[in-house]
Amino acid sequence: MKTLFLFISLFTLSVLSAEYRSTIQKITPDIKKRMIDGNSWRDGCPVALRDLRYIQVTHYDFRGKTKIGELIMHRSVAKEITEIFRELYQIGYPINRMSLVSDFGGNDYRSIEHDNTSAFNCRNATGKQKWSKHAYGLAIDINPIENPYLKRGKHSSHSKSRPFEKRVHKDLAKTEDIAILLESDRATQFFKKRGWTWGGDWKYIKDYQHFQKKLPSN
């Protein structure tokens, strides 16, 4: 409740009264063109466009303004992700930016540099020669500057993430501090209680921004 109280103090009552909204739709020709032109999907990707969904959700940005964010995810998790973002919105968890990775030419590094929360991207797993969970639309990275990818004993490759390498809430009156995801935080638990794996629990590599889920078994 302390986190929620401190974050609510950043907003006016009129902003807080805004209603959460979400939409889920199949990939339209316009979205397909954005994905292809933006190098996030192409022939040979491990998931067909018919199995992906274009999702829009309401979220607060780092200035306390209500925004409409956009994601592409696998159809099997589309409804669930809108439910998670409803809970994030209800506790006032901030998302700095939420745009398709296509807006950054499918370049994960550039997307992170803009602190962009993103999901689907037809790419390999970091440092590996196999498909990432993002390539299936089964993973999402949230506030990646405040929640960096870290190898043991090494710094983040993003200089803006250096202040957040030590995983602790220092000042919950600051939006950037609230955006930090710790194991005990409600925002993290919203995913974990639904069976999502969190990269912050990994042993040798920590990917604090990252949540992923398996396809449901038939």
Side-chain angles (χ1 to χ4, degrees), residues 42-170:
R42 57 195 174 277
D43 288 338
C45 290
V47 63
L49 290 176
R50 65 177 178 273
D51 289 324
L52 296 174
R53 295 293 182 267
Y54 175 73
I55 302 165
Q56 291 183 304
V57 297
T58 307
H59 69 91
Y60 292 115
D61 68 11
F62 275 19
R63 295 178 297 171
K65 302 295 184 181
T66 302
K67 300 289 186 180
I68 301 297
E70 54 179 357
L71 297 165
I72 290 175
M73 300 203 76
H74 195 277
R75 60 183 175 83
S76 67
V77 298
K79 184 175 185 296
E80 188 171 82
I81 205 71
T82 65
E83 294 168 350
I84 291 172
F85 273 99
R86 177 186 294 276
E87 293 180 314
L88 293 173
Y89 185 75
Q90 288 172 341
I91 67 166
Y93 180 80
I95 304 288
N96 196 6
R97 178 171 180 166
M98 194 188 307
S99 303
L100 302 187
V101 74
S102 305
D103 292 352
F104 305 93
N107 187 302
D108 187 55
Y109 186 92
R110 285 178 55 203
S111 178
I112 291 174
E113 281 289 285
H114 287 81
D115 204 15
N116 184 52
T117 292
S118 66
F120 175 78
N121 190 12
C122 187
R123 64 173 178 84
N124 286 343
T126 303
K128 298 181 180 179
Q129 296 300 313
K130 66 177 184 178
W131 290 116
S132 165
K133 285 287 186 180
H134 289 281
Y136 297 89
L138 293 169
I140 184 169
D141 292 339
I142 296 180
N143 290 327
I145 290 298
E146 292 75 24
N147 300 291
Y149 172 93
L150 298 173
K151 290 184 178 180
R152 179 177 289 181
K154 295 187 178 181
H155 289 294
S156 168
S157 58
H158 302 273
S159 60
K160 289 182 288 188
S161 286
R162 299 291 170 83
F164 304 101
E165 290 180 350
K166 186 175 182 180
R167 306 306 292 166
V168 61
H169 289 300
K170 297 177 182 179

Side-chain angles (χ1 to χ4, degrees), residues 7-41:
F7 193 61
I8 284 178
S9 68
L10 300 175
F11 298 99
T12 65
L13 289 176
S14 61
V15 171
L16 283 174
S17 66
E19 183 181 355
Y20 173 82
R21 297 181 184 276
S22 65
T23 61
I24 301 170
Q25 57 182 302
K26 294 180 179 180
I27 303 300
T28 64
D30 286 344
I31 297 298
K32 177 181 178 180
K33 185 176 188 304
R34 282 181 67 187
M35 295 170 73
I36 293 174
D37 291 348
N39 198 37
S40 68
W41 187 88

Side-chain angles (χ1 to χ4, degrees), residues 84 182-201 211-213:
I84 291 172
L182 304 182
E183 196 279 334
S184 60
D185 289 343
R186 293 174 70 187
T188 307
Q189 292 302 316
F190 290 155
F191 284 90
K192 296 181 72 174
K193 73 181 182 181
R194 290 179 171 85
W196 292 68
T197 299
W198 180 45
D201 288 329
F211 295 91
Q212 66 182 48
K213 194 168 189 182

